Amino acid sequence: MVKKSSHKETIIARFFILPRRFFPTTLSLLLVTDRRMIFLSKGRGYLKKGASEPVMTQSVFNSEELDKIVEINESNYYFELGEVAEVELNTSPFREETFGYYLKITTKKKKTKWDLRFDDLEKFRETMKKLKLNYVEK
């Protein structure tokens, strides 16, 4: 269950990501807000069908509306930014895969592995710098 809050969240960035598996089939969406990293399975579908029109078009979201999107699918989840211990991105040309760069997000309780699109590298760097997270690039 998602914690409810009266704090409005500002969406800082959106990234399409793929789970790091042998044959990934589900495109996900990483929404980065000023409070959380939100992982939405089949992200495009949820932004088109699972939310009201104002949620899709505004950059400032009501926390309850974001929470509803997270709850649409049980595979959706989020990390509070304070929980994130390290964000690692491997940009080595020898490590590149079909979809993008190897991205690992480690929290105090969990590690997640993703592929970040090649086109999103600069925007991702800027976002991590803005959030002042422990960001490591290899």
Side-chain angles (χ1 to χ4, degrees):
M1 189 64 158
V2 177
K3 297 179 218 169
K4 302 295 181 196
S5 170
S6 61
H7 177 270
K8 287 195 175 197
E9 292 180 77
T10 303
I11 299 286
I12 295 172
R14 296 176 177 95
F15 301 100
F16 285 107
I17 55 178
L18 273 175
R20 188 78 172 181
R21 296 188 188 126
F22 190 60
F23 288 112
T25 57
T26 305
L27 184 67
S28 296
L29 181 68
L30 169 60
L31 283 178
V32 181
T33 74
D34 58 343
R35 285 191 321 133
R36 307 186 276 182
M37 288 184 152
I38 303 171
F39 300 86
L40 304 173
S41 295
K42 300 179 186 171
R44 287 184 196 172
Y46 290 120
L47 283 183
K48 288 179 183 174
K49 298 175 186 171
S52 62
E53 187 65 27
V55 171
M56 289 187 285
T57 58
Q58 294 178 359
S59 63
V60 179
F61 288 60
N62 178 317
S63 183
E64 286 184 23
E65 290 172 345
L66 264 180
D67 291 344
K68 287 176 192 173
I69 294 171
V70 173
E71 291 176 351
I72 287 173
N73 183 335
E74 61 188 38
S75 64
N76 295 340
Y77 61 96
Y78 68 90
F79 300 136
E80 296 285 343
L81 292 180
E83 296 174 16
V84 178
E86 182 179 72
V87 177
E88 179 184 318
L89 189 64
N90 192 328
T91 58
S92 166
F94 303 108
R95 294 288 191 152
E96 292 178 3
E97 298 291 332
T98 305
F99 184 75
Y101 297 113
Y102 173 61
L103 170 65
K104 182 169 70 173
I105 300 171
T106 306
T107 68
K108 297 169 185 170
K109 298 178 183 177
K110 185 176 184 175
K111 287 183 185 178
T112 59
K113 298 175 182 176
W114 304 91
D115 279 326
L116 176 72
R117 291 188 319 174
F118 297 124
D119 299 345
D120 290 336
L121 179 61
E122 286 304 317
K123 185 177 178 186
F124 191 79
R125 284 176 176 155
E126 290 171 15
T127 303
M128 295 300 105
K129 185 177 180 179
K130 185 175 186 176
L131 295 174
K132 298 179 181 167
L133 292 176
N134 182 17
Y135 175 66
V136 177
E137 210 170 284
K138 294 183 177 182

